[in-house]
mmCIF file of all heavy atoms in Angstrom:
data_model
loop_
_atom_site.group_PDB
_atom_site.id
_atom_site.type_symbol
_atom_site.label_atom_id
_atom_site.label_comp_id
_atom_site.label_asym_id
_atom_site.label_seq_id
_atom_site.Cartn_x
_atom_site.Cartn_y
_atom_site.Cartn_z
ATOM 1 N N GLU B 285 10.440 -26.211 -16.447
ATOM 2 C CA GLU B 285 9.860 -26.173 -17.795
ATOM 3 C C GLU B 285 9.278 -24.810 -18.069
ATOM 4 O O GLU B 285 8.955 -24.051 -17.149
ATOM 5 C CB GLU B 285 8.759 -27.192 -17.896
ATOM 6 C CG GLU B 285 9.184 -28.632 -18.061
ATOM 7 C CD GLU B 285 8.008 -29.569 -18.184
ATOM 8 O OE1 GLU B 285 7.025 -29.233 -18.909
ATOM 9 O OE2 GLU B 285 8.035 -30.654 -17.567
ATOM 10 N N ASP B 286 9.039 -24.520 -19.313
ATOM 11 C CA ASP B 286 8.317 -23.352 -19.767
ATOM 12 C C ASP B 286 6.800 -23.575 -19.429
ATOM 13 O O ASP B 286 6.207 -24.587 -19.856
ATOM 14 C CB ASP B 286 8.526 -23.242 -21.294
ATOM 15 C CG ASP B 286 7.743 -22.088 -21.881
ATOM 16 O OD1 ASP B 286 6.863 -21.502 -21.199
ATOM 17 O OD2 ASP B 286 8.012 -21.777 -23.053
ATOM 18 N N GLY B 287 6.246 -22.636 -18.705
ATOM 19 C CA GLY B 287 4.834 -22.768 -18.285
ATOM 20 C C GLY B 287 3.883 -22.934 -19.464
ATOM 21 O O GLY B 287 2.867 -23.634 -19.366
ATOM 22 N N ASN B 288 4.207 -22.284 -20.536
ATOM 23 C CA ASN B 288 3.380 -22.331 -21.739
ATOM 24 C C ASN B 288 3.278 -23.767 -22.294
ATOM 25 O O ASN B 288 2.193 -24.265 -22.586
ATOM 26 C CB ASN B 288 4.013 -21.394 -22.785
ATOM 27 C CG ASN B 288 2.963 -20.544 -23.485
ATOM 28 O OD1 ASN B 288 1.827 -21.022 -23.656
ATOM 29 N ND2 ASN B 288 3.341 -19.358 -23.876
ATOM 30 N N LYS B 289 4.425 -24.402 -22.393
ATOM 31 C CA LYS B 289 4.450 -25.792 -22.902
ATOM 32 C C LYS B 289 3.880 -26.754 -21.877
ATOM 33 O O LYS B 289 3.144 -27.710 -22.212
ATOM 34 C CB LYS B 289 5.886 -26.217 -23.243
ATOM 35 C CG LYS B 289 6.399 -25.543 -24.506
ATOM 36 C CD LYS B 289 7.783 -26.075 -24.876
ATOM 37 C CE LYS B 289 8.397 -25.163 -25.940
ATOM 38 N NZ LYS B 289 9.823 -25.070 -25.828
ATOM 39 N N PHE B 290 4.185 -26.528 -20.618
ATOM 40 C CA PHE B 290 3.688 -27.392 -19.543
ATOM 41 C C PHE B 290 2.182 -27.522 -19.582
ATOM 42 O O PHE B 290 1.602 -28.594 -19.477
ATOM 43 C CB PHE B 290 4.132 -26.807 -18.190
ATOM 44 C CG PHE B 290 3.719 -27.600 -17.000
ATOM 45 C CD1 PHE B 290 4.491 -28.684 -16.538
ATOM 46 C CD2 PHE B 290 2.582 -27.278 -16.269
ATOM 47 C CE1 PHE B 290 4.124 -29.413 -15.424
ATOM 48 C CE2 PHE B 290 2.201 -27.993 -15.175
ATOM 49 C CZ PHE B 290 2.976 -29.081 -14.746
ATOM 50 N N LEU B 291 1.502 -26.362 -19.791
ATOM 51 C CA LEU B 291 0.049 -26.374 -19.775
ATOM 52 C C LEU B 291 -0.574 -27.075 -20.960
ATOM 53 O O LEU B 291 -1.713 -27.576 -20.903
ATOM 54 C CB LEU B 291 -0.510 -24.929 -19.688
ATOM 55 C CG LEU B 291 -0.388 -24.244 -18.323
ATOM 56 C CD1 LEU B 291 -1.030 -22.859 -18.389
ATOM 57 C CD2 LEU B 291 -1.023 -25.075 -17.233
ATOM 58 N N ASP B 292 0.163 -27.146 -22.079
ATOM 59 C CA ASP B 292 -0.345 -27.844 -23.266
ATOM 60 C C ASP B 292 -0.712 -29.288 -22.949
ATOM 61 O O ASP B 292 -1.571 -29.881 -23.588
ATOM 62 C CB ASP B 292 0.682 -27.823 -24.382
ATOM 63 C CG ASP B 292 0.745 -26.458 -25.093
ATOM 64 O OD1 ASP B 292 -0.272 -25.726 -24.995
ATOM 65 O OD2 ASP B 292 1.776 -26.117 -25.658
ATOM 66 N N GLU B 293 -0.009 -29.877 -21.973
ATOM 67 C CA GLU B 293 -0.201 -31.270 -21.635
ATOM 68 C C GLU B 293 -1.168 -31.512 -20.466
ATOM 69 O O GLU B 293 -1.358 -32.631 -20.049
ATOM 70 C CB GLU B 293 1.141 -31.910 -21.330
ATOM 71 C CG GLU B 293 2.053 -31.937 -22.541
ATOM 72 C CD GLU B 293 3.524 -31.910 -22.149
ATOM 73 O OE1 GLU B 293 3.873 -32.477 -21.063
ATOM 74 O OE2 GLU B 293 4.328 -31.328 -22.884
ATOM 75 N N ARG B 294 -1.703 -30.418 -19.884
ATOM 76 C CA ARG B 294 -2.593 -30.606 -18.725
ATOM 77 C C ARG B 294 -3.965 -30.040 -19.034
ATOM 78 O O ARG B 294 -4.103 -28.864 -19.307
ATOM 79 C CB ARG B 294 -2.032 -29.870 -17.489
ATOM 80 C CG ARG B 294 -1.136 -30.722 -16.633
ATOM 81 C CD ARG B 294 0.285 -30.704 -17.141
ATOM 82 N NE ARG B 294 1.150 -31.611 -16.405
ATOM 83 C CZ ARG B 294 2.392 -31.877 -16.737
ATOM 84 N NH1 ARG B 294 2.910 -31.345 -17.829
ATOM 85 N NH2 ARG B 294 3.126 -32.727 -16.017
ATOM 86 N N LYS B 295 -4.992 -30.904 -18.932
ATOM 87 C CA LYS B 295 -6.352 -30.452 -19.141
ATOM 88 C C LYS B 295 -7.209 -30.874 -17.941
ATOM 89 O O LYS B 295 -7.133 -32.033 -17.490
ATOM 90 C CB LYS B 295 -6.955 -31.136 -20.388
ATOM 91 C CG LYS B 295 -6.122 -30.960 -21.655
ATOM 92 C CD LYS B 295 -6.228 -29.574 -22.299
ATOM 93 C CE LYS B 295 -5.290 -29.496 -23.486
ATOM 94 N NZ LYS B 295 -4.541 -28.208 -23.529
ATOM 95 N N GLY B 296 -7.956 -29.945 -17.409
ATOM 96 C CA GLY B 296 -8.954 -30.257 -16.360
ATOM 97 C C GLY B 296 -8.366 -30.949 -15.137
ATOM 98 O O GLY B 296 -9.004 -31.823 -14.548
ATOM 99 N N TYR B 297 -7.205 -30.505 -14.725
ATOM 100 C CA TYR B 297 -6.534 -31.240 -13.675
ATOM 101 C C TYR B 297 -6.491 -30.498 -12.307
ATOM 102 O O TYR B 297 -6.609 -31.107 -11.254
ATOM 103 C CB TYR B 297 -5.099 -31.559 -14.117
ATOM 104 C CG TYR B 297 -4.372 -32.513 -13.172
ATOM 105 C CD1 TYR B 297 -4.625 -33.904 -13.235
ATOM 106 C CD2 TYR B 297 -3.500 -32.068 -12.198
ATOM 107 C CE1 TYR B 297 -3.991 -34.779 -12.343
ATOM 108 C CE2 TYR B 297 -2.859 -32.938 -11.326
ATOM 109 C CZ TYR B 297 -3.101 -34.263 -11.413
ATOM 110 O OH TYR B 297 -2.497 -35.146 -10.557
ATOM 111 N N TYR B 298 -6.323 -29.168 -12.343
ATOM 112 C CA TYR B 298 -6.036 -28.438 -11.111
ATOM 113 C C TYR B 298 -7.259 -27.768 -10.510
ATOM 114 O O TYR B 298 -8.125 -27.267 -11.206
ATOM 115 C CB TYR B 298 -4.959 -27.360 -11.347
ATOM 116 C CG TYR B 298 -3.650 -27.991 -11.803
ATOM 117 C CD1 TYR B 298 -3.240 -27.902 -13.129
ATOM 118 C CD2 TYR B 298 -2.848 -28.661 -10.908
ATOM 119 C CE1 TYR B 298 -2.046 -28.482 -13.545
ATOM 120 C CE2 TYR B 298 -1.647 -29.228 -11.305
ATOM 121 C CZ TYR B 298 -1.258 -29.146 -12.629
ATOM 122 O OH TYR B 298 -0.076 -29.714 -13.025
ATOM 123 N N ASP B 299 -7.280 -27.696 -9.154
ATOM 124 C CA ASP B 299 -8.310 -26.914 -8.461
ATOM 125 C C ASP B 299 -7.972 -25.451 -8.421
ATOM 126 O O ASP B 299 -8.865 -24.581 -8.534
ATOM 127 C CB ASP B 299 -8.448 -27.452 -7.033
ATOM 128 C CG ASP B 299 -8.899 -28.900 -7.018
ATOM 129 O OD1 ASP B 299 -9.955 -29.172 -7.649
ATOM 130 O OD2 ASP B 299 -8.253 -29.710 -6.359
ATOM 131 N N VAL B 300 -6.697 -25.146 -8.229
ATOM 132 C CA VAL B 300 -6.267 -23.778 -8.168
ATOM 133 C C VAL B 300 -4.925 -23.625 -8.909
ATOM 134 O O VAL B 300 -4.033 -24.468 -8.754
ATOM 135 C CB VAL B 300 -6.082 -23.272 -6.707
ATOM 136 C CG1 VAL B 300 -5.440 -21.857 -6.655
ATOM 137 C CG2 VAL B 300 -7.380 -23.308 -5.922
ATOM 138 N N ILE B 301 -4.828 -22.599 -9.741
ATOM 139 C CA ILE B 301 -3.546 -22.293 -10.400
ATOM 140 C C ILE B 301 -3.142 -20.862 -10.015
ATOM 141 O O ILE B 301 -3.936 -19.938 -10.029
ATOM 142 C CB ILE B 301 -3.680 -22.378 -11.954
ATOM 143 C CG1 ILE B 301 -4.025 -23.814 -12.351
ATOM 144 C CG2 ILE B 301 -2.400 -21.886 -12.629
ATOM 145 C CD1 ILE B 301 -4.189 -24.036 -13.861
ATOM 146 N N LEU B 302 -1.880 -20.731 -9.558
ATOM 147 C CA LEU B 302 -1.369 -19.473 -9.104
ATOM 148 C C LEU B 302 -0.236 -19.043 -10.043
ATOM 149 O O LEU B 302 0.745 -19.795 -10.235
ATOM 150 C CB LEU B 302 -0.798 -19.621 -7.666
ATOM 151 C CG LEU B 302 -1.824 -20.106 -6.642
ATOM 152 C CD1 LEU B 302 -1.180 -20.401 -5.307
ATOM 153 C CD2 LEU B 302 -2.964 -19.101 -6.460
#
Side-chain angles (χ1 to χ4, degrees):
Chain B
E285 282 181 42
D286 178 348
N288 223 328
K289 287 185 193 147
F290 181 85
L291 284 184
D292 283 337
E293 294 152 32
R294 269 84 186 173
K295 307 283 176 225
Y297 189 80
Y298 299 105
D299 297 307
V300 174
I301 297 180
L302 302 171

